[in-house]
């Protein structure tokens, strides 16, 4: 009998985000007879915790909900978490000796780019090291070319789109570095999306006489919800009746909520906050809009395609691949003006979107759950 490979996977938490969702979907479809996995979280928190298979050993540095505010009463706990995590980052031997009990891993896996240094600074010299890149790092603040080149310290770099693959190929200095780059589309569960979409909508009423645009994602600047609200206001002022629904939570939630109030659009725009199941909202909305400033490979578009939605998306990494070069949805300039023109087009010329829907019905997606899981598993087995 083959000995199971021992793998350490690191991620911040399992809150509602694309990378977190993708990781848990991957773990749920991984053959448990091949691997022994420790999943180490910085914070034991998030909606996806309950979905982690019970054969995976979940460890954590801190427990409790993420603190996204700076209220006086929250500062001591927030500070202690940061100090503890920074201590373990600076002295990784403490982490590996105490929390991980001197376990010898075959593979150490950074499930997001933010865990780069934690894995590369591991005291385990013999382990193979992998990173999963979910964002176009050329668009992420703090990531110069020199910073991005540090990822070549990994044995394998998993990238999720052509644009990210090109970024790393352009920065690779030799054939050895180029061979480290592996493009694998994210594993996503079509059956789960379709099943969950049939459940009832809660805390929102759709008006069949007024078009509703929906956008789903973690509420922080990357997602461009500020741009979306500004465009919503402008279109209303021009007489285009419509509603806007934003589903998600995050550290920018209060800021976006305040912007909504300042713009005076409380009657037409709603911030739903976090919901366990966003798919019924997808299903009932008229248009899905991606307003992101940058992405890696926006998995939310896979969900919108699966639910046959009419799509408008800013031109960020992964969008052309996901929307088949614009045959499945309207790709607009990555700007407030682009978002405005896309939404106005949807309201003035809805027939255009019928053509996208027709093509979507006969479209065969080049990415499947089974293929993605197999491709990642092959990488693990070959290391």
């Amino acid at each position: 009998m083959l000995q199971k490979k021992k793998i350490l996977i690191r991620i911040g938490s399992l809150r509602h985000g694309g990378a977190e969702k993708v990781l848990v979907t991957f773990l749920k479809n991984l053959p448990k007879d091949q691997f022994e996995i420790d999943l180490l979280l910085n914070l034991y928190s998030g909606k996806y915790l309950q979905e982690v298979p019970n054969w995976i050993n979940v460890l954590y540095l801190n427990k409790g909900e993420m603190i996204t505010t700076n209220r006086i009463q929250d500062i001591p706990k927030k500070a202690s978490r940061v100090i503890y995590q920074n201590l373990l980052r600076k002295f990784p031997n403490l982490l590996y000796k105490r929390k991980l009990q001197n376990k010898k891993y075959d593979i150490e896996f950074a499930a997001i780019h933010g865990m780069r240094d934690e894995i590369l600074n591991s005291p385990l010299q013999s382990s193979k090291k992998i990173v999963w890149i979910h964002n176009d790092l050329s668009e992420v603040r703090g990531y110069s070319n020199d910073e991005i080149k540090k990822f070549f310290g990994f044995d394998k770099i998993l990238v999720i789109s052509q644009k990210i693959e090109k970024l790393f190929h352009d920065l690779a200095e030799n054939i050895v570095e180029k061979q480290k780059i592996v493009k694998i589309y994210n594993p996503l569960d079509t059956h789960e999306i379709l099943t969950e979409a049939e459940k009832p909508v809660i805390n929102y009423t759709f008006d069949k006489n007024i078009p509703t645009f929906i956008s789903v994602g973690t509420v922080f600047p990357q997602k461009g919800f500020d741009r979306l609200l500004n465009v919503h206001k402008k279109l209303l002022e021009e007489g285009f009746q419509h509603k806007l629904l934003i589903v998600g939570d995050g550290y920018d939630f209060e800021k976006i909520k305040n912007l909504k109030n300042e713009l005076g659009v409380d009657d037409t725009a709603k911030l739903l906050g976090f919901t366990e199941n966003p798919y019924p909202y997808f299903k009932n909305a008229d248009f899905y809009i991606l307003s992101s400033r940058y992405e890696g490979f926006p998995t939310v578009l896979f969900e919108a395609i699966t639910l046959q939605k009419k799509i408008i998306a800013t031109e960020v990494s992964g969008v052309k691949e996901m929307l088949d070069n614009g045959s499945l949805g309207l790709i607009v300039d990555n700007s407030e003006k682009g978002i405005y023109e896309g939404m106005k087009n949807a309201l003035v010329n809805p027939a255009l979107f019928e053509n996208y829907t027709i093509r979507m019905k006969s479209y065969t997606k080049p990415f499947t759950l089974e293929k993605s899981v197999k491709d990642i598993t092959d990488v693990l087995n070959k290391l």
Side-chain angles (χ1 to χ4, degrees), residues 174-185:
N174 52 58
I175 190 67
V176 173
E177 290 187 345
K178 287 187 176 181
Q179 287 172 342
K180 292 182 176 187
I181 306 160
V182 184
K183 181 174 72 93
I184 300 174
Y185 289 123

Side-chain angles (χ1 to χ4, degrees), residues 62 67 69-87:
N62 291 292
I67 301 169
T69 63
N70 285 315
R71 297 181 305 178
I72 296 293
Q73 63 266 38
D74 293 332
I75 289 174
K77 181 184 280 189
K78 195 173 184 178
S80 68
R81 286 178 179 177
V82 171
I83 291 166
Y84 179 52
Q85 286 173 204
N86 285 342
L87 179 71

Side-chain angles (χ1 to χ4, degrees), residues 13-31:
S13 71
L14 291 178
R15 291 182 90 233
H16 40 287
E20 292 82 358
K21 170 72 172 175
V22 163
L23 174 62
V24 172
T25 301
F26 169 64
L27 293 175
K28 284 160 66 174
N29 290 276
L30 200 58

Side-chain angles (χ1 to χ4, degrees), residues 22 43 82 95-96 127 162 183 212 283 332 368 371 382:
V22 163
L43 183 63
V82 171
L95 172 68
Y96 281 75
S127 70
Q162 288 172 358
K183 181 174 72 93
T212 299
K283 185 184 175 190
V332 299
T368 66
K371 185 177 187 315
K382 288 172 184 175

Side-chain angles (χ1 to χ4, degrees), residues 168-200:
F168 277 91
H169 270 285
D170 288 347
L171 292 175
E173 295 179 356
N174 52 58
I175 190 67
V176 173
E177 290 187 345
K178 287 187 176 181
Q179 287 172 342
K180 292 182 176 187
I181 306 160
V182 184
K183 181 174 72 93
I184 300 174
Y185 289 123
N186 277 334
L188 294 155
D189 193 335
T190 303
H191 176 73
E192 179 190 15
I193 294 166
L194 292 169
T195 303
E196 291 295 307
E198 294 304 316
K199 293 180 179 177

Side-chain angles (χ1 to χ4, degrees), residues 1-6 32-36 106:
M1 183 178 175
L2 284 174
Q3 191 171 0
K4 292 182 181 180
K5 281 198 170 181
K6 294 180 175 64
K32 63 181 178 181
D33 58 332
Q34 293 180 31
F35 306 105
E36 180 183 318
D106 301 299

